[in-house]
């Protein structure tokens, strides 16, 4: 935030307002500034924060709110609530998808928000198949064929490739240039592998520790 703020100011020569959205699960962690002081010189950035966890009790209100950001916030909270509960996540995801179609939104907005929901609320393959059956039936009843099979396949491949690339970028940042073998291992990994390794990146002391087969 500190770096982004001064670089934007430097580039555009205008005051910059910074807002932090905290999506972590730690209720007490609420940073409100960053900076440093040296030899009497002080540089500091203060910023307001929004903690998504504070809206945990307001999911119904978020779902009723026509603002797209309210829907995404609800999706984030429901994703956390249904961790390791695939059937409950399927029900929550299907509820959110129906809301996309029930709002008076353009096809482009529906598809764009669907991509966000689909990325956030991953499901086992069997339940993912059930969701798509429900989507196709729902679209047929409403005569709203927004997401075709081709788009579905393309989105899935794009999400998977995007997650792989993000992990590769994180690994390179932590451990330096990666070997061809390490890159190949990430690119051939399953979605579950990518998720597991991504959770290890911040705390692992070595690349081998991140890419370990241990659960």
């Amino acid at each position: 935030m500190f770096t982004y703020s001064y670089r934007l100011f430097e580039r555009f020569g205008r005051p910059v307002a910074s807002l932090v959205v905290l999506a972590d699960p730690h209720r007490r962690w609420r940073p409100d500034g960053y900076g440093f002081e040296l030899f009497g010189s002080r540089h500091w950035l203060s910023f307001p924060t929004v903690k998504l966890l504070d809206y945990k009790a307001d999911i119904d209100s978020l779902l009723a709110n026509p603002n797209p950001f309210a829907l995404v916030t609800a999706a984030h909270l429901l994703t956390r609530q249904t961790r390791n509960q695939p059937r409950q996540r399927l029900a929550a995801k299907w509820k959110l998808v129906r809301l996309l179609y029930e709002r008076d939104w353009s096809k482009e907005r529906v598809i764009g928000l669907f991509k966000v929901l689909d990325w956030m609320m991953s499901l086992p393959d069997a339940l993912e198949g059930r969701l798509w059956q429900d989507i196709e039936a729902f679209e047929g009843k409403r005569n709203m064929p927004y997401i075709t099979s081709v788009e579905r396949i393309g989105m899935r491949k794009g999400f998977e490739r995007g997650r792989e690339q993000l992990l590769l970028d994180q690994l390179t940042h932590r451990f330096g240039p990666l070997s061809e073998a390490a890159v190949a291992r990430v690119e051939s990994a399953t979605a579950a592998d990518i998720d597991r390794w991504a959770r290890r990146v911040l705390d692992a002391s070595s690349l081998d520790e991140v890419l370990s087969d241990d659960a």
Side-chain angles (χ1 to χ4, degrees):
M1 294 295 300
F2 183 87
T3 303
Y4 290 155
S5 180
Y6 81 72
R7 286 185 176 175
L8 286 169
F9 176 77
E10 181 182 41
R11 178 172 180 180
F12 296 103
R14 301 182 65 180
V16 177
S18 301
L19 170 67
V20 174
V21 178
L22 301 172
D24 66 283
H26 308 292
R27 188 173 297 278
R28 294 184 179 181
W29 189 65
R30 297 172 183 268
D32 59 4
Y34 175 80
F36 59 87
E37 185 173 356
L38 183 65
F39 302 138
S41 176
R42 187 171 189 266
H43 294 265
W44 191 264
L45 172 67
S46 298
F47 44 77
T49 62
V50 174
K51 190 84 170 184
L52 297 187
L53 196 61
D54 291 343
Y55 295 88
K56 184 178 180 180
D58 299 322
I59 291 181
D60 289 341
S61 297
L62 291 170
L63 294 175
N65 193 315
N67 190 312
F69 292 103
L71 187 73
V72 174
T73 300
H76 167 79
L77 295 170
L78 288 169
T79 299
R80 288 202 170 277
Q81 285 186 11
T82 57
R83 185 178 181 184
N84 299 322
Q85 301 178 62
R87 294 189 179 279
Q88 288 85 340
R89 178 167 292 184
L90 171 64
K93 187 173 182 178
W94 175 227
K95 183 175 184 177
L96 291 166
V97 170
R98 289 202 312 269
L99 282 176
L100 291 181
Y101 288 93
E102 292 169 358
R103 302 281 165 83
D104 187 21
W105 287 337
S106 67
K107 176 178 178 179
E108 290 73 19
R109 173 171 285 185
V110 170
I111 293 175
L113 288 170
F114 177 84
K115 290 179 179 180
V116 175
L117 299 181
D118 199 38
W119 171 73
M120 293 173 65
M121 309 184 78
S122 60
L123 292 167
D125 290 343
L127 296 183
E128 186 75 13
R130 282 183 53 186
L131 175 69
W132 278 100
Q133 290 177 357
D134 291 340
I135 290 174
E136 290 171 356
F138 191 79
E139 286 188 336
K141 288 181 181 179
R142 289 179 168 257
N143 193 28
M144 299 169 68
Y146 281 4
I147 306 173
T148 67
S149 296
V150 173
E151 286 171 328
R152 172 190 172 187
I153 293 170
M155 283 189 291
R156 177 58 56 194
K157 289 182 177 178
F159 288 144
E160 291 174 355
R161 179 56 185 162
R163 294 168 70 190
E164 291 170 6
Q165 187 58 53
L166 177 58
L167 178 59
L168 289 171
D169 290 344
Q170 291 174 324
L171 292 173
T172 301
H173 180 72
R174 278 294 314 278
F175 306 110
L178 305 178
S179 66
E180 292 184 4
V183 173
R185 181 164 169 72
V186 171
E187 291 180 342
S188 62
T190 65
D193 289 335
I194 297 295
D195 287 342
R196 185 172 68 254
W197 296 341
R199 289 193 295 270
R200 295 176 180 170
V201 169
L202 294 179
D203 299 323
S205 58
S206 68
L207 179 62
D208 290 339
E209 186 178 341
V210 174
L211 301 183
S212 167
D213 290 327
D214 295 338

